[in-house]
Amino acid sequence: MKPVQAEDGKQLRFYCCGPTVYAAAHIGNFRTFVVQDVFRRVVELGGLRTKHVRNITDVDDKTIRNSQAQGMPLQEYTAKWTDKFHADCAALNCLAPHVEPSAVGHIAEQLDIVQKLIDKGHAYQSEDGSVYFRISSYADYGRLAHLDRQTLDLGKTAETRADVDEYDKDSVADFVLWKARRPEDGPNYWDSPWGQGRPGWHLECSAMSHKYLGDTFDLHSGGVDLVFPHHENEIAQSRCACGGESARHWFHVTHLLVDGAKMSKSLGNMYTLDQLQEMSYTPAALRYVLASAYYRRPLNFTLAGMKDATSALNKLGRFDKELAKAAAAKEPTYRDLVKAHPEPGAFAAAWASLEDDLNTPEALGHVFSAIKGIKPAELPAQEAAALWQQFRLIMEALGLQLPDPDADIEVPEDIKAIADERWAARLAKDWAKADELRGRLAELGWGMKDGKDGYKLAKI
């Protein structure tokens, strides 16, 4: 991502492709949303206002198929999963977008774009009433994905989840804008000048970005898997229908792997936030893992990485608590820091890394190096307060919610049973068994600290 400047110098306007609400979002989805959230935080903490638009895809093949399989109206079905997405975003400390339009709520805007494309000769209606974008009418098609139009087999690569339907097209490369009604769609259709049907997947983002951000806006973001054909199609239909540049910059986040493999249901590695919480991992730990990897490189997610994240958060939380005690000042919040726009001071290297292509792993490395030599208890209150603000600037930029390392935590019954057994082995001076059980606790992500009259458990 190259340095991005707001077109008007005051407000950075950006659009993010949001979720398709047919099931719970998985950690691969949230990698993109968390990175986008870090981007927004760095921009706002850096002194620039933002306008963040993120859509909800609440009509497509999957939402229709799944809602009908469960015997639920489409709107009721997608509302349930939209609420779940919002709850997960809140748990992961993601800022809510300023505007969150839905595809179903913007059918009229989508029909308007289709009509403009037909009027300008960029789209045509097939015999069954579907409407297609004519790829040959847009000379710059493929520029974002660096495609060679002379050699690219568009017929194979342009087929996506939204284009698999067999309709009569002038060219196999053309993509659908409006899908004619089919029996399997059930009651999920809308009237249009071309007959009853529903919008194609690519169309909605063009309609909503145009409505809320205009013909030209600063930045468009999404997962790298959306570069082609989704974003390529967005550019084509947006520029041909509305004019302007569409997005001046593009910001794509690379894939997430799990234990070195692609996520898939068949491998059983498509984790959701709920599943990780059932394993006693916190949303804060997942946020740390997702935010701490460089967005241009694949992130290899592991449960061991979640344990490391928990340990790192505890260390940062300890430092934060010591600073708070030494500072004896009001806790710096995100909104306070946006308003104050403080200098990063002792954490200038970390802030510079965030501003340099959002290099989050390098930024965290600088943070841990900086706190290594600082003893908050030895600082004067005023100096501690200033340092606390500087430290919180980086933590809030990353969106990290720091734990209180001394707070009582809920211990699962199975973990407590192992700890009790280990304590009994220690009292019996069965050191081999005590060590074995301590090792089992560590494998499960728990540390056990012995005291004179008992023990204390902590996440590691």
Side-chain angles (χ1 to χ4, degrees):
M1 182 180 63
K2 297 178 181 178
V4 178
Q5 297 295 326
E7 188 176 31
D8 65 0
K10 297 178 181 179
Q11 183 186 61
L12 186 77
R13 298 169 302 127
F14 66 103
Y15 184 93
C16 298
C17 286
T20 301
V21 284
Y22 69 96
H26 55 67
I27 60 174
N29 303 135
F30 278 116
R31 183 192 188 190
T32 297
F33 298 132
V34 166
V35 169
Q36 290 168 345
D37 186 66
V38 174
F39 167 79
R40 175 180 162 184
R41 287 167 175 270
V42 171
V43 170
E44 291 182 349
L45 289 165
L48 198 61
R49 292 184 298 109
T50 65
K51 184 175 183 180
H52 175 195
V53 180
R54 183 183 67 207
N55 73 292
I56 294 288
T57 296
D58 53 358
V59 57
D60 78 332
D61 293 338
K62 290 180 180 178
T63 54
I64 290 174
R65 182 176 62 246
N66 289 11
S67 64
Q68 296 203 117
Q70 294 193 19
M72 296 175 66
L74 179 65
Q75 186 174 3
E76 181 182 339
Y77 180 81
T78 56
K80 177 183 74 170
W81 291 115
T82 300
D83 289 345
K84 174 58 178 168
F85 174 71
H86 289 158
D88 285 353
C89 284
L92 289 167
N93 199 30
C94 290
L95 300 170
H98 299 107
V99 185
E100 192 175 49
S102 74
V104 169
H106 292 74
I107 296 294
E109 289 83 354
Q110 295 174 76
L111 293 176
D112 182 61
I113 285 186
V114 175
Q115 189 63 62
K116 287 179 179 178
L117 291 170
I118 291 176
D119 292 345
K120 294 179 179 182
H122 295 291
Y124 59 90
Q125 184 177 0
S126 66
E127 291 183 4
D128 73 340
S130 298
V131 180
Y132 290 89
F133 183 91
R134 183 179 285 112
I135 292 289
S136 61
S137 72
Y138 180 58
D140 284 341
Y141 189 84
R143 178 172 292 183
L144 178 70
H146 306 292
L147 305 177
D148 183 350
R149 294 197 54 186
Q150 299 301 314
T151 60
L152 176 66
D153 184 351
L154 287 169
K156 292 181 180 178
T157 56
E159 185 173 298
T160 73
R161 66 173 190 174
D163 301 321
V164 295
D165 310 301
E166 294 297 331
Y167 296 122
D168 294 326
K169 299 191 286 184
D170 288 355
S171 169
V172 71
D174 296 343
F175 62 88
V176 68
L177 297 166
W178 183 259
K179 292 186 174 187
R181 180 183 177 186
R182 301 175 301 177
E184 54 266 36
D185 293 338
N188 304 299
Y189 61 87
W190 290 264
D191 292 327
S192 82
W194 318 285
Q196 294 174 335
R198 57 188 172 92
W201 173 46
H202 309 299
L203 181 62
E204 62 185 78
C205 288
S206 289
M208 290 183 276
S209 64
H210 174 69
K211 178 173 182 176
Y212 295 103
L213 297 173
D215 298 337
T216 301
F217 53 97
D218 297 304
L219 182 139
H220 194 314
S221 182
V224 71
D225 56 308
L226 299 181
V227 173
F228 184 82
H230 183 51
H231 288 162
E232 200 69 67
N233 292 351
E234 270 192 67
I235 293 171
Q237 62 200 12
S238 294
R239 290 185 175 177
C240 290
C242 308
E245 294 182 60
S246 184
R248 296 169 56 236
H249 301 275
W250 290 83
F251 172 28
H252 292 105
V253 182
T254 309
H255 297 291
L256 179 144
L257 306 173
V258 176
D259 294 321
K262 184 178 179 180
M263 282 194 304
S264 71
K265 290 184 179 179
S266 60
L267 293 176
N269 62 1
M270 194 172 285
Y271 294 119
T272 64
L273 178 59
D274 284 353
Q275 289 172 324
L276 291 173
Q277 288 182 288
E278 288 170 4
M279 300 177 195
S280 298
Y281 296 112
T282 65
L286 178 58
R287 167 92 190 197
Y288 186 97
V289 169
L290 298 177
S292 64
Y294 187 38
Y295 78 92
R296 288 187 184 272
R297 297 176 188 148
L299 164 60
N300 185 31
F301 177 89
T302 65
L303 294 180
M306 288 290 286
K307 295 176 185 177
D308 292 342
T310 301
S311 297
L313 285 171
N314 284 336
K315 185 173 183 179
L316 294 170
R318 171 67 64 187
F319 184 75
D320 184 69
K321 187 173 183 178
E322 291 173 354
L323 274 178
K325 185 177 180 180
K330 179 178 176 287
E331 179 179 4
T333 67
Y334 178 74
R335 294 303 169 193
D336 292 336
L337 293 167
V338 168
K339 186 176 181 180
H341 184 37
E343 292 297 322
F347 299 94
W351 182 254
S353 293
L354 292 176
E355 289 194 314
D356 182 13
D357 201 26
L358 214 64
N359 194 334
T360 53
E362 185 175 271
L364 279 166
H366 286 308
V367 168
F368 283 108
S369 293
I371 68 176
K372 189 180 296 183
I374 298 174
K375 296 181 179 180
E378 298 177 2
L379 299 177
Q382 187 173 359
E383 187 177 340
L387 186 64
W388 194 21
Q389 189 178 61
Q390 295 160 11
F391 175 69
R392 276 298 183 90
L393 174 69
I394 308 300
M395 295 299 101
E396 290 295 343
L398 294 168
L400 298 181
Q401 294 177 303
L402 303 179
D404 179 351
D406 298 322
D408 291 333
I409 55 175
E410 185 177 345
V411 179
E413 288 299 321
D414 59 332
I415 299 298
K416 189 175 185 305
I418 297 172
D420 286 342
E421 187 179 358
R422 186 201 166 268
W423 181 253
R426 182 179 181 276
L427 293 178
K429 298 185 179 181
D430 187 346
W431 310 120
K433 185 174 182 180
D435 288 344
E436 176 193 347
L437 292 169
R438 183 191 288 274
R440 281 178 59 189
L441 286 170
E443 289 174 2
L444 294 169
W446 291 85
M448 185 170 175
K449 184 177 181 180
D450 297 329
K452 182 179 179 181
D453 299 314
Y455 64 84
K456 186 174 182 179
L457 287 167
K459 291 289 291 181
I460 58 173

